[in-house]
Amino acid sequence: MAKRLYVGNLPFSANEDEIRALFEGEGRKVESVSVITDRETGRPRGFAFVEMGSQADAEAAVSALNGREFGGRAVTVNEAREQAP
């Protein structure tokens, strides 16, 4: 079962390939990366969702990457929560 992670405080220049490379470090498996963009301008909003291949990969990514500097910013990585209705 894949596990979805929220990645916040990303630099606005970050793209899906760069985020995938960051999360695939240390042998972790990434299923998908989705950079969230503004509906009107199409520019990135500074956060993304990463679907990890397993619960173990998700936990390893959170512990290894939360607070780590990426593109000059300390990124926030935690388990994604469902959006409130």
Side-chain angles (χ1 to χ4, degrees), residues 6-73:
Y6 165 83
V7 186
N9 201 34
L10 287 169
F12 295 110
S13 62
N15 62 41
E16 290 183 11
D17 293 334
E18 293 170 333
I19 297 167
R20 179 180 293 275
L22 176 69
F23 276 79
E24 285 181 338
E26 299 172 4
R28 295 181 292 264
K29 184 170 183 344
V30 173
E31 296 291 323
S32 67
V33 177
S34 178
V35 176
I36 307 305
T37 57
D38 184 272
R39 288 182 188 148
E40 293 179 17
T41 64
R43 289 186 277 184
R45 294 185 59 198
F47 67 98
F49 292 98
V50 176
E51 191 91 17
M52 301 300 292
S54 69
Q55 179 67 31
D57 284 345
E59 291 171 2
V62 170
S63 64
L65 302 175
N66 189 38
R68 180 175 170 183
E69 188 172 312
F70 177 66
R73 301 178 84 165

Side-chain angles (χ1 to χ4, degrees), residues 69-80:
E69 188 172 312
F70 177 66
R73 301 178 84 165
V75 296
T76 301
V77 181
N78 54 39
E79 185 177 329

